[in-house]
Amino acid sequence: MCAATNVVENKEARLPRQVKDALQCLASEWDDIVDSKALQVIPIKGAMTNEVFQIKWPTRGNDTSRKVIARIYGEGVEVFFDRNDEIRTFEFMSKYGQGPRLLGRFPNGRIEEFLRARTLSAADLRAPDISALIAAKLRAFNELNMPGQKKVWLWDRLRKWLDAAKRLCPVEEAQAIHLEAFLEEISKSITLIDYEYATYNPVAYDIANHFCEMASDYHTETPHIVDYSKYPGLEERSRFLRIYLESAGEKPGDTEVKQLLEDVEKYTLASHLTWGVWGIISEYVNEIDFDYKEYAKQRFQQYWKQKPQLLGSP
């Protein structure tokens, strides 16, 4: 899903005691901080799984401040992933310059390095120069030798999420969105997508997610609304894929680009299923102000709409 977006200053925002203790312990190690307890809390809006805050302390001289990010995990969202695996991956990516450094942990969250940057807008994603940078960065990420088991996690995770959604969702609602049918849909997808188009398996899914995200704009008053008329066209998608392949020094031919393009389009179905089920679960375990249910309905609708065209089956 999306990164955090707008920053809203709120000096009165309250943090749990264990979070404050962890932040003060970290700040006490820095000699330039005036008072480790004099922290300023700035909620960062837009995160849809965790609560995220920018924390800063005044420092001696030059009218500057020390800044970090405090990420408090959402209640009940442990169904989505293993926190130990997440931290292990987070530390690995940091080591290779693919993300902020991990500065500290507390029972229900972590403290991260503050990176001076700005969140990309929906329009930024379409800018050719920024799109090229994203393609190259994604290729570098995909080539990391990540820790843990070398297996395709997509389908097993989707089954696990679907089981959780069925437990949480009332019977009437589950019937209305055809939740029971999705287990069979997952099995069909594995057969029609994964086995036949295994060459670019995780790559195609990552790129499909990126293309699907371009239909969303989380900087609006209705961030849950998805506008698929903004899904990138054939020329834009092909340009992105060619840059992705070229970023590692390859000289891809038209056939290779076309094949990856076809694989990515099929994996958009997996993306719709994954984030649709995520939305159903989040509706019942997350208190963040976001219309998860409506978001899920839109992802499922797009799945049913695109499936006949992409897989040649009803």
Side-chain angles (χ1 to χ4, degrees), residues 182-211:
F182 284 123
L183 185 58
E184 182 179 353
E185 289 300 311
I186 293 170
S187 299
K188 285 179 182 181
S189 295
I190 293 175
T191 302
L192 295 172
I193 300 175
D194 213 350
Y195 295 158
E196 184 177 0
Y197 298 93
T199 306
Y200 288 105
N201 186 353
V203 169
Y205 179 71
D206 286 346
I207 298 174
N209 266 327
H210 175 64
F211 287 166

Side-chain angles (χ1 to χ4, degrees), residues 4-171:
T5 55
N6 301 321
V7 175
V8 178
E9 187 164 345
N10 179 4
K11 294 182 180 180
E12 301 301 321
R14 292 184 177 181
L15 294 175
R17 170 48 58 187
Q18 60 187 359
V19 182
K20 287 185 178 180
D21 289 344
L23 288 164
Q24 290 170 10
C25 181
L26 174 66
S28 66
E29 300 175 1
W30 293 327
D31 294 335
D32 59 341
I33 287 182
V34 177
D35 181 358
S36 64
K37 296 182 179 180
L39 54 84
Q40 185 175 355
V41 181
I42 305 173
I44 300 179
K45 289 190 173 182
M48 292 183 293
T49 302
N50 309 305
E51 288 186 283
V52 184
F53 302 89
Q54 180 190 130
I55 311 295
K56 61 182 182 179
W57 296 264
T59 57
R60 297 182 177 88
N62 299 325
D63 196 28
T64 58
S65 60
R66 280 266 195 173
K67 299 178 182 179
V68 300
I69 293 294
R71 188 178 300 273
I72 302 176
Y73 304 145
E75 292 290 335
V77 298
E78 62 275 358
V79 65
F80 293 127
F81 32 67
D82 184 291
R83 288 297 182 188
N84 291 326
D85 287 344
E86 184 196 18
I87 288 293
R88 187 162 50 247
T89 301
F90 184 92
E91 290 178 322
F92 182 86
M93 292 175 61
S94 298
K95 179 180 177 181
Y96 287 92
Q98 297 294 325
R101 290 182 296 128
L102 178 66
L103 301 179
R105 297 177 66 178
F106 44 89
N108 65 329
R110 64 177 183 255
I111 304 170
E112 306 169 8
E113 174 189 16
F114 175 80
L115 297 179
R116 296 186 180 279
R118 70 175 179 88
T119 303
L120 295 179
S121 68
D124 288 333
L125 297 181
R126 313 200 86 96
D129 55 338
I130 294 178
S131 179
L133 289 173
I134 293 172
K137 194 72 172 179
L138 182 57
R139 180 63 184 263
F141 173 78
N142 285 143
E143 292 186 339
L144 288 175
N145 185 21
M146 303 293 282
Q149 288 183 304
K150 303 298 187 286
K151 60 175 288 187
V152 177
W153 47 262
L154 171 61
W155 306 113
D156 287 344
R157 187 176 74 173
L158 191 46
R159 287 193 186 94
K160 178 183 176 182
W161 288 11
L162 184 59
D163 287 341
K166 288 161 66 176
R167 290 195 305 269
L168 293 166
C169 194
V171 175

